[in-house]
Amino acid sequence: MLQRVATDIEQRPNRNGENRADVEGTRVRVQDVAILAEVEGMSPDGIVAARPCLTLAQVHAALPYYFDHCPAIRQQLCEDEEKSI
């Protein structure tokens, strides 16, 4: 079930039925944007260059959402990583 949770961010179930925050209208997860920013050290402009399906406004919506929900999203990252092993 699709649930809009913030401007440009929506909750959508993944393949396992677990809700994940996505950038609205894309298949890009908030956690993917966060990894590009936090791990790869990309600026918002760099993220748009790496993911041309995103607008700068969408990146600027995803990053505050990530910081507001950091513990939950980091937990999801760990769970996703464990399942991929």
Side-chain angles (χ1 to χ4, degrees):
M1 173 182 200
L2 183 66
Q3 177 186 5
R4 189 177 177 129
V5 294
T7 303
D8 293 322
I9 306 300
E10 59 193 12
Q11 290 282 336
R12 224 182 354 224
N14 65 9
R15 287 180 279 199
N16 298 321
E18 303 158 330
N19 279 337
R20 294 293 187 258
D22 292 333
V23 177
E24 185 178 35
T26 73
R27 306 284 300 166
V28 179
R29 300 171 300 177
V30 169
Q31 67 188 42
D32 298 329
V33 174
I35 288 169
L36 292 173
E38 293 283 282
V39 177
E40 301 294 327
M42 289 186 177
S43 68
D45 288 327
I47 294 170
V48 170
R51 298 287 179 123
C53 64
L54 296 176
T55 66
L56 192 56
Q58 289 171 317
V59 172
H60 281 287
L63 290 173
Y65 183 88
Y66 166 69
F67 290 118
D68 286 345
H69 301 87
C70 198
I73 291 174
R74 286 185 177 176
Q75 179 63 36
Q76 292 169 356
L77 281 165
C78 290
E79 290 170 4
D80 291 350
E81 187 175 308
E82 288 173 3
K83 289 176 185 172
S84 68
I85 296 176

